[in-house]
Amino acid sequence: MSRLRPEASNAFWKQTSAVDQTRSDSSPTGMLDPFPPPPTWLRDRVEPWALYFNLPTLSDHIHEVLIALAGYQFIHSVLSPWLSAILFPRHYPHLNKRTKLNWDVHVVSLVQSTLVNTLALWIMFADKERKSMDINERIYGYTGTCGFLEALAAGYFVYDLIISTIHIKLFGVGMLFHAISALWVFSFGFRPFVNFYSPTFILYELSSPFLNIHWFLDKLNLTGSNLQWYNGMLLLSVFFSCRLVWGTWQSVLVYRDMWHALSQSWTLSSLSTAADVNVAIFGNRKLMAQNCVDEACLRANEEVFKYAGFSAGGVPTWLVGTYVAANVVLNSLNYYWFSKMVETVLKRFRGPKEGEKKIGGEKVEEVVEDIAQKVVLEAAATLEEEEGRVFLGDVPVEQGVVAGDVDVGGEVRRRRG
């Protein structure tokens, strides 16, 4: 079945939306998009293109995408150079052109990752409509708060695309490809498709603030410091928790939901009307809306099926396949980066080479503590190098430079610029 605009199925909802007089006080009261709607002139210009590319919710959030893009670009071009020169007068003004550009990119990344992670956690705890979504709504449903989060992320990916295009000689084709693929895959949420999971997978970025801080400490000549060690411990633990444990589990859940949606699409293809399809997908939500006690609750629940007309054709097989492939690649990268960290740790704890002088018993505790600190620092440096190769184009000039940053005695031999 072909996808239909919302008007194609609104007749069904109007015919069956006589709200029951009996309303339940236990109905959830949720949140709409906290940002004001776009101006009419902007919506009118964007909507034809949004419908053409089958991204209907984009017309509700295009102003947020543009504001986010402008904000990130302002931080990169104005705020970061101005504030960094004031806060770090002995370092930032003396950086070479490439490192200064990388500094500004890292500032934007730090601000963006902190912002979207905070917003994602707020949505997950406060958006009651999202919490109450069933398996169908987790695929096809929509809430304004999740759309707002997707807009902020999309604005960053557009910024990333612009920077990687302008500076392709510095960052390379890899960063450009990453920017394009990230923007493309994340735009699926504007269909809407797995809108529910946008805050879930944004939390992959919980480790990014610590990764950026690690990079800044290197450039501030604080490599090997206690501050970098504490930050490194947080980086490694958060990376393992949010990307491997949380990320893998949530991937299993989204695979299950998408398989259900795909199977349902094949079954629903025999139904004759869009209204029948919408009953199968959003029937439970309509009942919840009927039980609302106030206008706010009613609007919030009705927003979940606001784009029901675009669910009439089910979910395309190619869309599920693309999403799964992108998710598998990302998870594989996370496991690869973690394996490199583990490899770095194991190198430290291998026994002494034959002929090496053994350490006296009274110094064992001190040396073990010193080695533990170097393990964390080297593992964090390994992660920063490996992830930087893909996401920030921060490729060391010399191979193996990270492993040589800190020796067993704790002195810095060379720093990356």
Side-chain angles (χ1 to χ4, degrees), residues 30-281:
M31 301 176 301
L32 306 176
D33 187 342
F35 218 71
T40 304
W41 64 265
L42 180 60
R43 183 196 295 273
D44 290 343
R45 282 165 175 75
V46 171
E47 188 172 28
W49 293 101
L51 294 175
Y52 178 80
F53 289 106
N54 205 12
L55 304 173
T57 75
L58 182 59
S59 58
D60 279 342
H61 298 283
I62 184 61
H63 60 310
E64 296 164 351
V65 175
L66 296 176
I67 291 172
L69 169 61
Y72 297 138
Q73 189 60 56
F74 175 79
I75 293 171
H76 176 99
S77 303
V78 179
L79 186 60
S80 176
W82 172 72
L83 195 58
S84 299
I86 294 175
L87 296 178
F88 309 103
R90 293 188 299 171
H91 299 89
Y92 181 81
H94 305 292
L95 298 174
N96 60 47
K97 180 181 178 181
R98 182 182 187 278
T99 307
K100 192 174 289 187
L101 173 62
N102 250 329
W103 178 290
D104 296 332
V105 169
H106 277 81
V107 170
V108 177
S109 175
L110 178 62
V111 172
Q112 186 266 348
S113 57
T114 303
L115 174 63
V116 296
N117 282 321
T118 302
L119 181 59
L121 289 170
W122 174 67
I123 290 171
M124 293 178 70
F125 284 102
D127 193 337
K128 296 183 179 180
E129 273 64 49
R130 180 185 175 276
K131 283 183 179 180
S132 64
M133 284 184 174
D134 60 26
I135 192 169
N136 291 318
E137 294 165 346
R138 290 198 294 268
I139 298 296
Y140 301 107
Y142 164 84
T143 68
T145 52
C146 288
F148 177 52
L149 178 63
E150 289 166 351
L152 294 183
Y156 175 75
F157 291 137
V158 174
Y159 155 83
D160 192 27
L161 178 60
I162 293 172
I163 293 299
S164 58
T165 301
I166 294 174
H167 303 286
I168 189 170
K169 290 184 178 179
L170 288 176
F171 290 132
V173 179
M175 183 177 175
L176 177 61
F177 175 76
H178 170 260
I180 294 171
S181 57
L183 180 60
W184 179 55
V185 172
F186 213 81
S187 68
F188 292 162
F190 293 116
R191 293 180 69 92
F193 176 69
V194 293
N195 178 269
F196 169 91
Y197 283 100
S198 55
T200 299
F201 288 113
I202 279 292
L203 293 185
Y204 269 56
E205 295 301 313
L206 275 173
S207 60
S208 294
F210 304 106
L211 189 66
N212 284 298
I213 291 171
H214 180 92
W215 189 92
F216 284 124
L217 292 174
D218 273 343
K219 300 305 173 281
L220 295 174
N221 298 330
L222 292 172
T223 303
S225 64
N226 286 336
L227 179 58
Q228 194 178 53
W229 179 47
Y230 298 138
N231 179 76
M233 288 192 294
L234 289 171
L235 168 60
L236 301 184
S237 58
V238 172
F239 184 93
F240 176 79
S241 301
C242 72
R243 296 213 179 189
L244 301 191
V245 178
W246 171 262
T248 301
W249 172 240
Q250 293 301 316
S251 295
V252 171
L253 296 181
V254 75
Y255 294 161
R256 178 202 62 187
D257 289 354
M258 287 191 295
W259 173 250
H260 167 82
L262 197 58
S263 303
Q264 185 185 55
S265 297
W266 298 334
T267 303
L268 294 180
S269 61
S270 60
L271 297 179
S272 58
T273 68
D276 294 332
V277 176
N278 286 323
V279 167
I281 295 176

Side-chain angles (χ1 to χ4, degrees), residues 316-337:
T317 304
W318 70 264
L319 184 59
V320 173
T322 301
Y323 197 94
V324 170
N327 186 268
V328 168
V329 169
L330 180 58
N331 284 337
S332 299
L333 280 172
N334 289 331
Y335 277 96
Y336 169 75
W337 291 327

